[in-house]
Amino acid sequence: MKVIVLGAGSSAGTPVIGCHCKVCTEAHPLNCRTRASCYIMAGDVGLLIDTGPDLRQQALREKLHEVSAVLYTHPHADHLNGIDDLRAFCFRHKKAIPVFGNQFTIHNIEERFGYTLLPPTTHWERPVLSAHVVDEPFMVGNVNVIPIPLLHGQWPIFGYRVGNVAWLTDVSEIPESSFALLEGLDVLFLDCLRYLPHYTHLSLDQAIVLATRIGARQTCFMHMTHEVDVVEAGKSLPDSMMFAFDGQQIEIAE
Ligand SMILES: [Zn+2]
Ligand SMILES: [Zn+2]
Ligand SMILES: [Zn+2]
């Protein structure tokens, strides 16, 4: 099994348009972050988590050619608005892509991107998706996917666990009942917006506390704003923790 970090950035991405701060102007490769998303390959199943506005560039960069399913965390623009670029995968294989999410997320997709849920035309020029509301573990091919209920401010959203990898973006609180779903992780990707607390996200300090409790072999923080210079901040993290970066790949024995 292999995980590719497509994007480790926050809603604005880093560098931020028009920003003159040190992180944005130096644009160190580790501080160039597209919008948060990842791709998990398990055998011949390729799972995409979210479709942010940078999906096209991310897919080209990582040479993605197959998406077996999309796992949606929540419908904020930085996680959803690249949905139209799924048409490339539908067109290539002439088949619909199943997309999964909680009721709130799927309803939002139906309202805002209803055209993606229509049957294909003869030319397949639109995305052709089939929407599935889920609230418990489900299979994509032979891969078991476990939705992890989270809170993003007042929104109930999902993180996802596949094998011993979990992707928990845009978290402000992990409900007590979700910790049992996070035992024995090899790799945990966890929201870590910035240094100061935020109503809908984890700060670095909060993320470290939660990562310590969950106790994954390796924790990779992600969804950082330009306020976090990961080159500097990475030096003082505990051994089992690091900042995720665009293009990061981790192989995990199944
Ligand atoms: Zn986000
Ligand atoms: Zn900046
Ligand atoms: Zn969000």
Side-chain angles (χ1 to χ4, degrees), residues 8-10 14 33 171 190-208 221-230 233 243:
S10 63
T14 300
R33 298 185 275 272
V171 190
L190 184 62
D191 182 29
C192 167
L193 187 72
R194 61 183 193 184
Y195 296 104
L196 293 173
H198 188 281
Y199 175 58
T200 60
H201 288 273
L202 297 175
S203 66
L204 176 58
D205 288 345
Q206 292 169 326
I208 290 174
F221 297 122
M222 46 100 171
H223 207 288
M224 289 75 67
T225 72
H226 66 146
E227 291 161 85
V228 182
D229 177 349
V230 302
F243 289 101

Side-chain angles (χ1 to χ4, degrees), residues 74 76 78-79 152 155 170 201 223:
H74 70 298
H76 272 150
D78 56 321
H79 299 265
H152 181 26
W155 279 11
D170 293 53
H201 288 273
H223 207 288

